[in-house]
């Protein structure tokens, strides 16, 4: 369940790494997550902003930007993966790593969001939770942190799987190529008998004495 905590973290992370890697798509993700962060802050403090006429239009604009940003986050992530693959020296390995990493990240985020939503629904039914603002704040932070952990764990797990799978396939291909090139030798054939075996079937001319006139 992404919220202000997770969106702020991903905004900072993508701006930093986007600048280091000169990756415009990551910087775009950072901009989207920044808008979602401000929208989340506006929603958390909605009771205050509801009575501020000058702020209400801004809140509505942020909501629209955040809703649009949520739809384009993953296309930007995929575009970033394609960009990283295109500029990589090992395009095959990078492409596989990026693809599996993004896929597992999405799976982990989806599972985490469902689990956090289920917990959130149960907590809202509790009177103690409703009446304790500190408990609600703690849960808000926990939700964002849990989503961040799930996202990073999913991507790192998928990336490692992609790297290992690529290395295993390449190692297998290399071994197969070496086996095909170097034909197997009969283990019963001793080294000292190889020369005699090779020349056993050759018909050599008889050696005659040299006649001197």
């Amino acid at each position: 369940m992404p919220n202000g905590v997770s969106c702020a973290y991903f905004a900072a992370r993508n701006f930093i790494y986007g600048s280091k890697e000169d990756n415009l798509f990551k910087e775009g993700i950072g901009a989207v997550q920044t808008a979602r962060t401000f929208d989340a802050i506006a929603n958390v403090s909605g009771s205050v902003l509801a009575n501020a006429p000058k702020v209400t239009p801004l809140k509505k604009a942020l909501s629209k930007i955040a809703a649009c940003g949520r739809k384009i986050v993953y296309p930007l992530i995929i575009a970033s993966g394609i960009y990283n693959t295109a500029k990589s020296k090992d395009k095959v390995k990078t492409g596989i790593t990026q693809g599996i990493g993004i896929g597992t990240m999405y799976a982990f985020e989806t599972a985490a969001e469902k689990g956090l939503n289920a917990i959130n629904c149960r907590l809202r039914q509790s009177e103690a939770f409703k009446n304790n603002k500190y408990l609600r704040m703690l849960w808000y932070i926990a939700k964002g942190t849990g989503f961040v952990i799930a996202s990073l764990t999913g991507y790192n797990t998928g990336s490692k799987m992609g790297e290992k799978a690529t290395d295993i396939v390449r190692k297998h291909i290399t071994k197969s190529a070496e086996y095909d090139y170097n034909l197997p030798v009969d283990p019963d054939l001793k080294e000292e008998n190889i020369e005699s075996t090779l020349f056993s079937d050759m018909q050599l001319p008889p050696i005659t004495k040299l006649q001197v006139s």
Side-chain angles (χ1 to χ4, degrees):
M1 180 185 290
N3 59 16
V5 174
S6 59
C7 289
Y9 173 83
F10 288 125
R13 178 183 176 87
N14 281 282
F15 271 130
I16 292 171
Y17 283 95
S19 178
K20 286 182 178 180
E21 299 171 6
D22 194 23
N23 188 327
L24 184 62
F25 298 104
K26 282 190 176 181
E27 292 178 348
I29 296 170
V32 169
Q33 296 290 26
T34 300
R36 295 180 69 187
T37 301
F38 283 115
D39 179 61
I41 294 171
N43 288 330
V44 169
S45 55
S47 59
V48 177
L49 294 175
N51 299 321
K54 294 182 179 181
V55 180
T56 301
L58 177 61
K59 184 177 181 297
K60 290 181 179 180
L62 282 173
S63 296
K64 291 182 179 180
I65 295 171
C68 179
R70 183 180 177 86
K71 295 179 182 179
I72 65 172
V73 165
Y74 263 95
L76 285 173
I77 291 173
I78 294 170
S80 176
I82 295 172
Y83 174 79
N84 289 335
T85 302
K87 70 175 185 178
S88 174
K89 294 181 179 179
D90 191 344
K91 292 180 173 54
V92 173
K93 188 171 187 177
T94 303
I96 293 173
T97 300
Q98 292 282 310
I100 297 178
I102 293 172
T104 52
M105 179 178 70
Y106 177 79
F108 274 57
E109 286 183 354
T110 302
E113 192 165 358
K114 289 181 179 179
L116 291 170
N117 277 329
I119 297 172
N120 193 62
C121 289
R122 290 186 179 183
L123 288 175
R124 285 186 174 183
Q125 296 173 359
S126 171
E127 292 297 328
F129 180 79
K130 290 180 181 179
N131 298 325
N132 192 324
K133 65 178 181 179
Y134 297 105
L135 187 59
R136 293 197 304 271
M137 185 181 299
L138 183 63
W139 170 238
Y140 188 84
I141 296 171
K143 282 190 299 183
T145 304
F147 188 83
V148 168
I149 292 173
S151 179
L152 296 178
T153 302
Y155 181 79
N156 291 334
T157 300
S159 296
K160 290 179 181 178
M161 288 171 57
E163 288 180 0
K164 289 183 179 180
T166 305
D167 291 340
I168 290 172
V169 171
R170 284 178 169 175
K171 188 175 181 180
H172 178 73
I173 292 173
T174 302
K175 283 186 176 181
S176 298
E178 289 177 352
Y179 178 82
D180 292 339
Y181 181 77
N182 299 314
L183 297 177
V185 179
D186 186 357
D188 296 329
L189 187 62
K190 295 182 179 180
E191 185 177 354
E192 58 268 18
N193 295 330
I194 292 177
E195 185 176 351
S196 60
T197 302
L198 291 174
F199 291 98
S200 61
D201 295 332
M202 294 180 64
Q203 298 297 326
L204 298 177
I207 300 176
T208 57
K209 293 182 179 181
L210 180 64
Q211 295 182 357
V212 180
S213 56

